[in-house]
Amino acid sequence: MTGQHRSEFPAHIADSPFQRLAALISTVPPGATPIDLAVGNPRHAVPSFVRETVAAHAEGFGVYPAIRGADDFRASVGDWLENRYGLGGLLDAETGILPLNGSREGLYFATLGADSYLKKPGDRPVVLVSNPGYPAYSVGAFAVGAEILPFAPATADGVMPDWDALGGDVLDRTIAVFVASPANPQGTVASKADWLQLLERAERHEFMVFADECYSEIYRGSVAPPAGALEAAAERGSAARVVVFNSLSKRSNLPGLRCGFAAGDPAFLANWARLRNMAAPQVPTPTQAVAAAAFRDEDHVVDNRRLYDAKFALAEQALGDLFPAMTPPGGFFLWLDVSRFGPDPDVSRRMWAEAGVRTVPGSYLGAPMADGINPGEGHVRIALVQDEATTEEALGRLADMFRSR
Ligand SMILES: Cc1ncc(COP(=O)(O)O)c(C=O)c1O
């Protein structure tokens, strides 16, 4: 065997950004006690009801869970979506919601579902992925042999590309479009009008819209809650060709629970559930019970937002004069344009070497576009996930570093 038939992962998903970061700083000692602001792992408290809910449902670990989820889980998510987005009964909790073992596996499996559901004849299918963006979109596209086309937002404060510039033939070959709102890493958000435009195109060119909304509840107290793709679907009177992905990882500080959901197009979900039933991870029923309780409680979510608001205020104090308008409307990342300080991997390494702060070089979160430019370049992503005191310490060290030269 020469191995020549093995297909290579495209460079931007050959290694995770965190593996690349580890390699970047592996030989460099930290300049101070290390603080991790690289991984987007929320460190706020686990909600109080989690322990008792797991204990009350522990017997459920003795049973294989159904892929379509527990009735109470779907009912809770259905009510939450209705209240949050005012869907006017768009979704039936029986057919319009599926549990996920965290949204990541769903975002990966989604393209397998789109490929088998749409059965587009002819040329190699295309999957459009937001760039910079979450790697699971591209890994799923790679798994079905699709052409991965990264798109950059058309404007600095938006998440959508110029769809017309992509060309009708590309959109005709497209089976899936992945858009995150709030976006990771930028924290920018899509408006309802943005989603409406995308859904119109999905109908015209027959592709699936996969809306990654796992940061939907992490937004600044000073702005309106981000619009959701299902709101646009409700306005159109149909959930056809749209599926939203959400999660308790960020909303409820439960990344280790591994629980999220997909909601939207019932025909797509029915086909996808058949595939998932053979290959995807089910969600343990005690986990679903915790999730059902979490979606019925908004108090911990409001507290959570306040904690992030306080940390963005600290960031403004420490770095605001160096990086104007750096607080995004959504998400929990600072996405700093550090290009005047050097290439982003060098700046990130310096943050580690001089301040002991781990951050992600922006270019590691993006892919080169057709013109060779990686839109993540020149930026560094800083996750404001630690407690307030640790965050303040890290930001102070970074402010000293940036001012030292
Ligand atoms: C943009 C984005 N989408 C999806 C995920 C997956 O989250 P989870 O699998 O915990 O739901 C993450 C996690 O960091 C993310 O940042």
Side-chain angles (χ1 to χ4, degrees):
M1 284 293 286
T2 60
Q4 63 191 0
H5 294 297
R6 286 191 52 143
S7 40
E8 294 287 337
F9 274 109
H12 76 280
I13 49 169
D15 288 304
S16 87
F18 305 111
Q19 283 168 308
R20 295 177 70 190
L21 172 63
L24 178 76
I25 61 175
S26 64
T27 57
V28 184
T33 308
I35 299 178
D36 186 7
L37 301 186
V39 184
N41 184 146
R43 305 291 170 86
H44 300 166
V46 164
S48 57
F49 51 79
V50 171
R51 287 164 194 80
E52 71 212 41
T53 311
V54 173
H57 291 83
E59 289 300 311
F61 287 121
V63 184
Y64 273 119
I67 206 78
R68 58 190 292 276
D71 291 348
D72 189 52
F73 170 86
R74 278 182 281 100
S76 170
V77 170
D79 290 347
W80 181 78
L81 285 168
E82 193 58 60
N83 290 336
R84 168 71 168 82
Y85 296 112
L87 300 182
L90 176 77
L91 292 184
D92 176 348
E94 278 296 302
T95 56
I97 294 163
L98 283 179
L100 300 175
N101 208 298
S103 61
R104 182 170 77 171
E105 63 89 354
L107 292 163
Y108 165 78
F109 275 101
T111 305
L112 278 73
D115 197 34
S116 80
Y117 176 64
L118 296 171
K119 294 192 184 67
K120 278 203 171 177
D123 294 333
R124 189 177 177 206
V126 168
V127 174
L128 293 165
V129 299
S130 54
N131 183 28
Y134 194 61
Y137 318 147
S138 293
V139 184
F142 178 77
V144 304
E147 183 181 344
I148 305 168
L149 276 188
F151 65 80
T155 57
D157 61 352
V159 303
M160 303 285 176
D162 177 348
W163 298 114
D164 292 331
L166 285 165
D169 48 337
V170 167
L171 295 180
D172 281 341
R173 281 168 56 210
T174 297
I175 55 171
V177 173
F178 286 89
V179 182
S181 175
N184 170 5
Q186 306 95 317
T188 43
V189 298
S191 65
K192 187 160 81 172
D194 289 335
W195 288 123
L196 278 168
Q197 282 184 22
L198 177 53
L199 296 189
E200 277 155 25
R201 283 181 172 80
E203 184 176 1
R204 200 173 332 138
H205 299 281
E206 297 186 20
F207 58 75
M208 293 299 303
V209 172
F210 294 135
D212 181 352
E213 299 186 349
C214 72
Y215 293 93
S216 68
E217 305 316 290
I218 312 297
Y219 54 87
R220 304 295 83 75
S222 53
V223 303
L230 290 178
E231 266 175 275
E235 189 159 310
R236 288 166 55 82
S238 165
R241 298 202 177 82
V242 58
V243 177
V244 303
F245 294 80
N246 213 320
S247 168
L248 292 175
S249 300
K250 325 292 178 191
R251 175 186 180 273
S252 299
N253 306 315
L254 290 170
L257 184 72
R258 308 311 304 134
C259 194
F261 67 82
D265 187 339
F268 171 86
L269 291 181
N271 183 70
W272 200 42
R274 283 185 16 238
L275 184 156
R276 289 181 60 78
N277 212 12
M278 293 182 276
Q282 307 97 314
V283 183
T285 45
T287 300
Q288 293 185 55
V290 173
F295 278 114
R296 291 190 172 113
D297 182 70
E298 289 298 327
D299 291 348
H300 73 283
V301 187
V302 172
D303 290 345
N304 207 22
R305 273 197 290 274
R306 273 199 210 107
L307 294 174
Y308 286 118
D309 275 351
K311 289 186 284 185
F312 277 102
L314 289 175
E316 287 288 351
Q317 276 166 30
L319 299 170
D321 56 335
L322 292 166
F323 302 99
M326 70 177 177
T327 298
F332 50 48
F333 301 108
L334 294 173
W335 178 241
L336 301 183
D337 180 347
V338 294
S339 48
R340 68 187 189 275
F341 297 97
D344 53 281
D346 292 358
V347 177
S348 183
R349 192 172 39 215
R350 236 186 103 197
M351 289 168 146
W352 174 250
E354 294 179 27
V357 180
R358 285 178 89 239
T359 60
V360 186
S363 56
Y364 291 8
L365 299 166
M369 303 287 291
D371 59 7
I373 294 174
N374 177 338
E377 253 166 41
H379 288 76
V380 165
R381 192 189 80 172
I382 301 176
L384 298 184
V385 288
Q386 300 282 356
D387 62 41
E388 221 171 292
T390 311
T391 305
E392 188 167 21
E393 165 70 23
L395 293 167
R397 288 188 208 164
L398 292 179
D400 291 345
M401 184 201 99
F402 281 121
R403 290 199 178 84
S404 70
R405 271 187 239 168

